[in-house]
Amino acid sequence: MQIKNLMSEDLITVDKDQKLSDGLKLLAKNDISRLPVINTNKDHQRELVGIISERDVADKLGSSKYENMPASRLHISSVMVKDVISVVETMDLADVANLMLENGIGSVPIVSDDDMMVGIVSKADFVTLAVGRAFDKITVKEVMSDDIKAVSSQERLVHARRIMIDSHVGRLPVIDGDELVGMMTSKDVMKAFINFRKNVPEKYQKTQIKEILVEEVMSDNPLSISKDASISEVANTMMDTGYNGLPVVEDNNVIGIITQTDILRLIAKLES
């Protein structure tokens, strides 16, 4: 299958000179986690110059470089990833999946033969393929990761953010004792930093940012899945909820996590 048969053609973009707040509104309005960034060149052509995601925003707003700058003063160009990997629309689906896995990226803009952007494909698009008879026969335990990166509710947000960056993950189960009490995602971190900068006077931000706890940011009552559930069930749950990952629980203990990346890896293997 060629990637043009899976990509989304409903392109929502943002200009590199727009304010970050404009990009955040687009993300929220369209319930998406990333945006291609466009620049109008001297020939009045709109060219792809970057991509911005919730994880990028969370990383930048939590960094020391931007710690004294309100989100309202930042522009898209300050936060976007500039080295964008794009693929042609005739590229094989499995090759695109492997490219995303090798580079640790969540989406890829799709371009035509004349280098015009015609679509975008994300891990969420690949998840839509993981339903049906073949995936009914594959269980979560065959695909999940048991290398669990987690935090407790009483740990500090800045520490949890550092774990997410160092581990290259977009979500962390929150575990107190042996009990799963919440989930914290890049979106949660991003919103926390934005609200903090908006509500705390600048002169107090450097010290008070270190006092925010995970329990203040995490989502309560996290959805989990059994190791014996099918991949079809996981895919349908992800599509219904918009969740990028689910903790795997057995006897009230978290034994693993299954994410869109795990499903992407499975599809790449099956399609190769």
Side-chain angles (χ1 to χ4, degrees), residues 192-238:
F193 281 131
I194 291 171
N195 291 334
F196 175 81
R197 288 164 182 253
K198 188 184 298 183
N199 297 315
V200 177
E202 189 173 323
K203 63 180 179 179
Y204 300 125
Q205 287 184 5
K206 191 168 185 178
T207 53
Q208 290 191 20
I209 190 69
K210 298 174 184 177
E211 302 305 315
I212 303 176
L213 300 179
V214 167
E215 67 177 356
E216 301 173 53
V217 177
M218 70 183 194
S219 300
D220 297 322
N221 303 315
L223 188 64
S224 62
I225 198 125
S226 163
K227 66 181 176 64
D228 297 316
S230 71
I231 296 302
S232 285
E233 185 178 343
V234 173
N236 281 314
T237 300
M238 287 182 173

Side-chain angles (χ1 to χ4, degrees), residues 73-244:
R73 278 197 248 156
L74 288 172
H75 286 77
I76 295 295
S77 57
S78 303
V79 180
M80 70 182 191
V81 172
K82 297 177 182 177
D83 298 324
V84 183
I85 297 172
S86 60
V87 301
V88 294
E89 58 185 336
T90 53
M91 193 169 180
D92 186 74
L93 179 146
D95 292 335
V96 176
N98 283 313
L99 182 73
M100 292 171 68
L101 290 167
E102 289 165 6
N103 291 277
I105 52 180
S107 64
V108 179
I110 314 298
V111 297
S112 60
D113 291 336
D114 56 358
D115 213 29
M116 297 295 292
M117 188 167 64
V118 294
I120 189 169
V121 69
S122 69
K123 292 177 184 177
D125 295 313
F126 280 91
V127 168
T128 64
L129 299 176
V131 293
R133 187 173 301 173
F135 295 94
D136 287 339
K137 298 177 181 178
I138 305 172
T139 60
V140 168
K141 63 186 174 186
E142 299 174 63
V143 179
M144 72 181 196
S145 169
D146 56 10
D147 181 18
I148 307 165
K149 307 298 181 187
V151 289
S152 75
S153 64
Q154 296 305 301
E155 289 189 73
R156 301 185 190 279
L157 173 62
V158 290
H159 173 64
R161 168 187 168 271
R162 175 47 56 189
I163 292 175
M164 295 173 80
I165 292 172
D166 292 345
S167 304
H168 305 289
V169 296
R171 67 207 55 79
L172 293 172
V174 183
I175 302 173
D176 287 346
D178 294 325
E179 182 183 359
L180 177 69
V181 296
M183 285 288 288
M184 192 180 80
T185 67
S186 294
K187 178 181 285 189
D188 297 325
V189 177
M190 179 187 75
K191 288 181 177 180
F193 281 131
I194 291 171
N195 291 334
F196 175 81
R197 288 164 182 253
K198 188 184 298 183
N199 297 315
V200 177
E202 189 173 323
K203 63 180 179 179
Y204 300 125
Q205 287 184 5
K206 191 168 185 178
T207 53
Q208 290 191 20
I209 190 69
K210 298 174 184 177
E211 302 305 315
I212 303 176
L213 300 179
V214 167
E215 67 177 356
E216 301 173 53
V217 177
M218 70 183 194
S219 300
D220 297 322
N221 303 315
L223 188 64
S224 62
I225 198 125
S226 163
K227 66 181 176 64
D228 297 316
S230 71
I231 296 302
S232 285
E233 185 178 343
V234 173
N236 281 314
T237 300
M238 287 182 173
M239 287 187 283
D240 290 343
T241 62
Y243 293 166
N244 297 334

Side-chain angles (χ1 to χ4, degrees), residues 12-43:
I12 301 164
T13 62
V14 65
D15 191 278
K16 73 177 183 66
D17 295 323
Q18 285 182 258
K19 289 184 177 180
L20 174 59
S21 56
D22 295 328
L24 297 177
K25 289 174 185 175
L26 281 172
L27 290 171
K29 179 182 178 181
N30 296 282
D31 194 25
I32 52 180
S33 59
R34 55 188 57 79
L35 288 168
V37 182
I38 301 297
N39 177 56
T40 304
N41 63 25
K42 61 182 180 181
D43 296 321

